[in-house]
Amino acid sequence: MTNKNKTVWSNRFAKANSKNFQRIGSSINIDKRLYNEDIKASIVHVQMLIKQKIIPKNNGKKIITGLNKIKSEIEKNKFKFKEKFEDIHQNIEKRLFQMIGDSAGYLHTARSRNDQVVTDFKMWVKKSSLDIKKILDLLIKSILKKAEKNINTVMPGFTHLKNAQPISFAHYLMAYVEMLNRDKKRFINNIDLIDECPLGSAALAGTTFNIDRKFTAKKLGFKKPTNNSIDSVSDRDFAVDFLAAAATCAMHLSRLAEDFIIFNSEAFNFVEFNDKVLTGSSIMPQKKNPDPAEIIRGKTAINYGRLNSMLTIMKGLPISYYKDLQDDKELVFDSYDTLKDSLLMSIELIENLNSKKNNMKEMAKKGYTTATDFADYLVMKKKFPFREGYIISSKLVNYAEKKGVRLDQLSIKEINKFVKKSKINIPKIFDVSNSMNSKTSFGGTAPKNVKRMIAKYKNQIK
Ligand code: ARG
């Protein structure tokens, strides 16, 4: 009855598809990645059909045995994926017919590829969100380790890439831990919305059969079945959410990479990397370039692009299922692979980074980075309004700049020209470490704070 070499719908069709359409319309090269989810969902579907007495038990059992065999064939690389059968769902169904004969015909009772594909895909996105979370944990761990070694490393903090105020290198690194921790939450929070099982929605209308959707949902690890069969097969919000979380995370990695590229330049000379993560030049013998950081920064464009493509596919797509949706998987898989590589590369960059503490400190002394400390001092010790302290300090900066010296190189006499009877402890107030140590407000760069934050995150991740 069912021809094993023809498409499922061949009886209705007088002609086979053109070669070009077969190639362009098929998704098997992409969605074969869903084989595990597809087989798992099919097995649970069959168990439900047996339980509900919708299909005969013996046929159902044959199907389950066959599906397990197909799974091991795929895992042993013995399965022949065929473009002709379009996607993973029909490739598996066709193979099942070859293996067990007409019993295979019971499998597709009360389901459609429309609910099948979105169920598989949701399972995959859920699993992969947890995967990304795990790698984010590894990256956070490696940053914490590096931060621990740099709590007292003073560097200039920048705004507008101009030296702003002295900060701890560890505090700078911990800023990225905050970003990555939010990324983690984004991927985890998404799971709540993925957690509804579409299986049993069939093509779009639901089904005549007395199926038990709660059973399938639970067995496939979902919280509950979806409410609306039309929404079930047309919803790809979960793909958009994954891509959005990936794009944001890639953006964070790109900023970190960009910082490293700047810090590694001869002009800054704040950090050096182990040769393991550097490349040379084909013409300039002296070169050592931080390519991995540039790759991470560049790949962010891919994560952004995939999100934009998905949103564009969804825009103006009438409900419910249209073939436009088939590209959702390529976009999400690609974004996942790209982000995963960027995360792994970021871990290696951190592990192979060495901070040049002296250079950082010397640079922190440039650009009058303690001028705000002087204004603060005038407010605290002389009870000036801040704006007045700020004006005095800016005049002092002008004076020092003209003279070509740093603030800590001025004498008490010179400072007294700007503030009467100042009892200022010059070496201390203009010292960059003192400045860093004094930022004790919650979330500030004082080493005490930074230590506490590192401990908090270490505890949280373990
Ligand atoms: N390969 C298809 C996809 O990925 C499966 C769903 C096909 N459904 C359909 N009505 N053509 O979207």
Side-chain angles (χ1 to χ4, degrees), residues 371 374-376 378-379 385-395:
F374 183 53
D376 287 352
L378 295 174
V379 172
F386 176 76
R387 195 46 79 219
E388 202 169 321
Y390 169 94
I391 291 169
I392 294 173
S393 184
S394 56
K395 286 180 179 162

Side-chain angles (χ1 to χ4, degrees), residues 272-290:
E272 61 192 359
F273 292 103
N274 190 298
D275 282 358
K276 279 198 267 184
V277 291
L278 295 170
T279 30
S281 152
S282 63
I283 174 171
M284 297 171 280
Q286 84 285 9
K287 280 287 231 162
K288 282 193 173 182
N289 299 327

